[in-house]
Amino acid sequence: MSRAEEALSRLKGPVVPLNICFTPAGTVNYPAMRKYAGWLCEQQTPVLLLTYGSSEYAWLTDDDIRRLTVEMAEEIDGKALFITSTGIWAPDVCREFLVFADQAGADAVKVQVNPWMIQPYPKKFMGYMESVSEAASIPLLLWGNSGGINPVPAETIAELASRPNIIGMKNDEDQFYYYYDCIRATINEDFAVVSGGQMRNFAFGYQVGSPAYLCTIAPFRPDIALQFYNLLTEHRYDDAWQIVFRYEDRWLKQAVSLNWLSCIKAAIYLHGLFPENYETPFHSGDDGLVEKVRQGLIEVFGEIKKGD
């Protein structure tokens, strides 16, 4: 089995995007990040991912991204599939990082191409990927996120999917028609289209051929995300939908109304997985957010289970 084939065989089930714990000074709290990643591995989370949004790349320096890649690779150490991500960089910098991530021990890299200046233009997108894809032997994932302008055509995705070292994509575009189009266009390739959205999207996407998904519950309750995935693999679709109705729909309604990213990080904190000071730089205080999230968690999930 090739390296790409092995990574693809593990790219299944819930993918947890690694939310970042900051110090009061606004720097990354690396010990807290290692503790959190270790806990996720203990919970049998199959895939861990550094990614632009949930990992708050807007607050990270290039050195932060490199150090996080090293520290997460060391902590995860094969216990889960670890996918790091590039910054939105020029091709030369991206190529250097692919070599770096390969040497650091990451299992794969998501290549984050500029959503506004490159992704809406298929020839530019193809040119960028061709210029970086052979920099290292590490498996690569594409990123579908054109900022709502013009998604990369499914035909272009399919052409790139035929390259042996490009094993998948994280879809942050439309979670229905475009998601399905990309799945169908690549169905005969060794390629995974990962849902970047919700359980309810994956409930349909799995049946078309999508093997993995992100959701807003997995970062603090990966057990529920795994239960949902296992029900789908057993074709118990009605039971899987009950998890959507019981947990995801109710949690999302609260999280979106309060700022979903802050809610997820507060939930991680309330489960004992982040220290008290964890928020992004220039955060003005939670304005009662943590208590609202606490009450919401108890209402939706029951008693809060503290991590070790």
Side-chain angles (χ1 to χ4, degrees):
M1 182 181 292
S2 71
R3 185 178 181 185
E5 290 170 337
E6 181 179 0
L8 181 62
S9 71
R10 299 175 64 192
L11 185 50
K12 296 176 180 178
V15 178
V16 173
L18 290 165
N19 295 100
I20 303 300
C21 182
F22 291 94
T23 69
T27 59
V28 177
N29 186 330
Y30 292 102
M33 289 302 302
R34 292 188 73 129
K35 175 186 174 183
Y36 177 47
W39 178 83
L40 287 167
C41 291
E42 290 172 1
Q43 307 309 303
Q44 307 299 311
T45 309
V47 186
L48 302 182
L49 169 70
L50 286 171
T51 188
Y52 190 85
S54 294
S55 302
E56 298 183 87
Y57 270 37
W59 295 111
L60 303 182
T61 67
D62 292 358
D63 286 343
D64 289 334
I65 296 170
R66 288 180 171 85
R67 182 172 172 185
L68 272 167
T69 296
V70 171
E71 300 243 4
M72 294 299 94
E74 289 178 352
E75 184 65 35
I76 295 165
D77 191 28
K79 295 185 287 291
L81 183 73
F82 171 49
I83 305 170
T84 187
S85 290
T86 69
I88 298 177
W89 292 326
D92 285 351
V93 181
C94 181
R95 283 192 291 268
E96 291 172 359
F97 180 78
L98 295 181
V99 174
F100 175 87
D102 194 3
Q103 295 172 346
D107 296 306
V109 179
K110 177 162 66 78
V111 179
Q112 300 188 142
V113 180
N114 189 292
W116 308 281
M117 301 185 70
I118 299 178
Q119 288 206 37
Y121 309 100
K123 289 184 179 179
K124 291 183 179 181
F125 184 80
M126 179 65 77
Y128 186 101
M129 289 305 306
E130 288 180 337
S131 74
V132 304
S133 62
E134 300 300 327
S137 62
I138 193 166
L140 305 179
L141 282 80
L142 309 175
W143 183 36
N145 183 358
S146 66
I149 301 174
N150 188 34
V152 178
E155 295 78 11
T156 303
I157 299 296
E159 185 175 347
L160 288 166
S162 67
R163 316 288 173 91
N165 65 322
I166 299 180
I167 64 167
M169 70 176 287
K170 177 175 180 276
N171 176 43
D172 287 327
E173 300 280 5
D174 170 60
Q175 292 293 324
F176 288 94
Y177 294 112
Y178 181 76
Y179 178 35
Y180 307 146
D181 286 346
C182 289
I183 296 169
R184 293 187 178 105
T186 59
I187 200 69
N188 293 319
E189 306 293 345
D190 292 327
F191 190 83
V193 181
V194 178
S195 170
Q198 304 169 25
M199 287 177 171
R200 64 168 47 250
N201 300 331
F202 186 62
F204 296 111
Y206 175 80
Q207 297 177 66
V208 184
S210 177
Y213 76 106
L214 282 73
C215 73
T216 58
I217 292 174
F220 57 92
R221 287 297 304 269
D223 58 317
I224 294 175
L226 279 165
Q227 181 187 7
F228 172 74
Y229 173 72
N230 289 334
L231 288 170
L232 292 179
T233 64
E234 295 166 4
H235 307 295
R236 294 169 58 187
Y237 300 121
D238 288 344
D239 291 336
W241 274 104
Q242 291 307 309
I243 290 181
V244 175
F245 301 145
R246 179 180 177 183
Y247 296 118
E248 184 179 64
D249 283 356
R250 296 166 65 205
W251 166 245
L252 264 181
K253 184 177 180 181
Q254 297 188 39
V256 171
S257 69
L258 294 173
N259 182 324
W260 70 271
L261 183 55
S262 292
C263 281
I264 293 172
K265 293 180 72 171
I268 295 170
Y269 159 68
L270 288 166
H271 282 81
L273 303 169
F274 276 177
E276 186 173 358
N277 296 299
Y278 60 84
E279 264 290 6
T280 52
F282 310 119
H283 186 68
S284 59
D286 67 34
D287 297 321
L289 174 70
V290 170
E291 185 56 34
K292 291 175 184 176
V293 172
R294 185 195 308 274
Q295 294 303 318
L297 288 171
I298 293 171
E299 179 183 332
V300 174
F301 300 99
E303 181 183 356
I304 296 175
K305 298 180 180 180
K306 293 281 187 177
D308 295 329

